[in-house]
Amino acid sequence: MENSEIARVFGRIADLMEIKGENRYKTLAYRRASETIPTFPERLDELSLKELVALQGIGQALAEKIQEFNTSGRLAFLEKLETEVPPTLVDLLAVPDVGPKKVALFWKQAGVTTLAGLEEAALAGKLRTLPGMGEKSETRILAGIQSLRTALKRLPIDEVSPLADEWLARLKTCHAIQRLAVAGSLRRGRATIGDLDLVGSAESFREAMDFFLAQPGIQEVVSHGEYKSSVRLAGGLNVQLWLQPDERFGSLLQFVTGSKAHNVRLREYSLKQGLSLSERGFVSQGLQETLCAEEVDVYRLLGLPFIAPELREDLGELEAAVAGSLPALPADGDLSSDLHLDGGGWREKGRLLELGRAASAIGLHTICFVLPLPAGPPSPGETEYTGFLEALSQVRAELGDMRILSGLEFEDSPESDLPMDEKIHSSFDLIAARVHATGSRTSANLTALALKAIGLAPVRVFSIQAEDGAGAAQIAGMDWDSILQGASGRALALQISGRDLHLGPDEAVLKLAARHSVPISVTSRALSPMQSADGRFALGFARRAWLTKGSILSAWDDQRLVAWLQRA
């Protein structure tokens, strides 16, 4: 059984338990497990009960249920729960502002069990008479159902980040706003983003919120409050602005950055020290407030070192902070190379030079322009290679001290092999291989293709990318242990790109790569100068996997990188 399927089942159990009103801590155990399991590099169906119990966040009870599910494909606890709570009620949780308590209310007092039933009840005016409801609440639910139907799926981080920069630039022109920052899943470096969360401090909340709500491109004002407002953009993305006084900015930033699971653990840790933590700061048992103007103060007051946003997923970061064993994560400024800039448009005058200058402007010292070699015939002629290499010579002359490498990347094909032309290969500084995960290829197919690619003599870097969610699911199920073991034996690097991170290997694969001593090549795969800094998204993703500079080839010093490049 795939880890992702086990996680899905545990997430469903948590949803049903919340609706039923089960013990909060039992429910939280399943919720945490559903979020933690996809990050494990080990396949849970290959572990013994003792090994399962030893995993972070998996105790005896959950380990036994994992074994039961792996053995039979069923889980008695879930089946019993689904006889007690209509399974279709879980769908209602996707409606904005509808949580487990409201779902239970609609079910028990209005007989609603489906999303269609909820809409029907709202249209008939049957919800407004329920406790805690009213006509406005009913109208919001109808709007939420409509937005749910039209809302886009989670967006890739490289698409949301420029929008965040645009919103920050706009809001900084409001004189009532003192400080602004990005928070939420974007700050934590997740591959996809659901909502864009912005936090700020202001002298006048009303003026700041009015300014926010008056921005162009807003399709709908979802909510408007003194401390928090939410709008939906024409494309479907929700943008939320959270405000507090400047002396509370640090605690607000920590709270909105999340994750929810991390914040729950941090609040529990605070309570053990007699403190209650919220977005407004700390309150002691004697009701004395301690405010945090800076985020680092939240952790300092608890006797903890600062925990980087990318680590805040309740995957052992709090325990590591207590033990003083948090990893030394690389900063964006530590990137010194990008071994994949697109070289396919080398015939366009000045294109490669523009890309090179953009890379130099962000502090890179080594770049590699890569010429794509599609799978199967016709292969590029010799004039294509020589023309590309001559174009690079001209760029080298213009950019002076910057090291500019030539690369050749071939795409996988199960029917054909890489053209083994040693004369051509020897003309290039770097040979890369790329495997495409299409919906028609199984995890086993992809594993075979990857093993074939990394086994070819000239290959030094390999990457695997899906076209859609179905392909990404197949990537997750590949035999990564065998692939990375083979890559380690040949001193290869695994490439991850800042573009479409959600369609490549996940954090669990990166953690496993580090265990196998396979370095990660963080790249932008930039097609234009505007994308030259996109490698920072891939670096943030590597930080989520707890990787240090030693595991990231793109952050190596010049001497180490050259030694790797020259290794046969």
Side-chain angles (χ1 to χ4, degrees), residues 143-264:
I145 293 172
Q146 183 60 34
S147 69
L148 183 63
R149 287 176 175 155
T150 59
L152 296 176
K153 61 182 180 181
R154 292 177 66 92
L155 296 175
I157 187 173
D158 55 299
E159 290 184 21
V160 176
S161 183
L163 288 173
D165 293 340
E166 181 183 338
W167 274 88
L168 287 176
R170 288 187 201 171
L171 296 179
K172 283 178 180 178
T173 64
C174 176
H175 70 270
I177 295 178
Q178 297 166 293
R179 282 196 280 177
L180 274 172
V182 168
S185 54
L186 178 57
R187 186 170 182 237
R188 299 201 313 277
R190 287 196 60 178
T192 60
I193 311 301
D195 297 326
L196 172 56
D197 288 295
L198 306 175
V199 300
S201 60
E203 295 176 325
S204 169
F205 291 175
R206 180 175 180 178
E207 188 175 346
M209 283 301 184
D210 286 347
F211 187 86
F212 170 66
L213 297 174
Q215 294 306 302
I218 294 174
Q219 185 179 60
E220 177 190 356
V221 176
V222 179
S223 64
H224 180 193
E226 182 180 7
Y227 297 106
K228 177 189 174 185
S229 292
S230 177
V231 298
R232 182 170 298 108
L233 306 186
L237 179 70
N238 277 15
V239 181
Q240 301 180 140
L241 177 62
W242 307 64
L243 292 177
Q244 283 292 326
D246 198 59
E247 60 269 24
R248 301 182 191 270
F249 179 80
S251 52
L252 176 66
L253 179 59
Q254 190 284 322
F255 177 83
V256 183
T257 294
S259 66
K260 181 180 178 181
H262 173 82
N263 286 351
V264 167

Side-chain angles (χ1 to χ4, degrees), residues 18 162 199 203 324 448 471 511 549:
E18 281 191 306
V199 300
E203 295 176 325
K511 289 180 180 180
K549 284 179 64 174

Side-chain angles (χ1 to χ4, degrees), residues 310 329-336 362 364 533 535-537 539-540 543 555:
E310 293 90 345
L329 301 179
D332 287 355
D334 289 325
L335 287 181
S336 59
I362 60 174
L364 301 183
R536 71 187 189 278
F537 303 130
L539 181 62
R543 288 195 288 259

Side-chain angles (χ1 to χ4, degrees), residues 311-345:
L311 300 184
R312 301 179 197 173
E313 300 292 347
D314 190 24
L315 298 177
E317 70 275 8
L318 188 58
E319 291 81 357
V322 172
S325 58
L326 285 170
L329 301 179
D332 287 355
D334 289 325
L335 287 181
S336 59
S337 67
D338 187 337
L339 297 187
H340 197 119
L341 300 180
D342 182 68

Side-chain angles (χ1 to χ4, degrees), residues 268-402:
E268 292 172 351
Y269 189 79
S270 303
L271 288 171
K272 291 178 181 177
Q273 299 189 34
L275 297 170
S276 175
L277 173 62
S278 72
E279 69 271 26
R280 294 177 56 80
F282 291 97
V283 178
S284 70
Q285 291 178 341
L287 301 182
Q288 181 178 353
E289 275 196 310
T290 302
L291 308 185
C292 298
E294 304 300 331
E295 186 183 36
V296 67
D297 294 335
V298 175
Y299 294 95
R300 181 182 58 80
L301 286 168
L302 293 173
L304 299 171
F306 181 74
I307 299 177
E310 293 90 345
L311 300 184
R312 301 179 197 173
E313 300 292 347
D314 190 24
L315 298 177
E317 70 275 8
L318 188 58
E319 291 81 357
V322 172
S325 58
L326 285 170
L329 301 179
D332 287 355
D334 289 325
L335 287 181
S336 59
S337 67
D338 187 337
L339 297 187
H340 197 119
L341 300 180
D342 182 68
W346 63 268
R347 287 187 178 83
E348 299 176 27
K349 186 177 180 180
R351 182 176 179 276
L352 299 187
L353 185 58
E354 289 178 358
L355 279 170
R357 284 174 174 162
S360 178
I362 60 174
L364 301 183
H365 306 302
T366 300
I367 57 175
C368 183
F369 286 102
V370 179
L371 186 67
L373 178 65
S379 296
E382 189 170 340
T383 55
E384 174 82 3
Y385 298 126
T386 56
F388 172 69
L389 295 173
E390 287 172 5
L392 286 194
S393 296
Q394 296 173 18
V395 176
R396 290 190 185 101
E398 289 281 348
L399 295 182
D401 294 337
M402 192 174 208

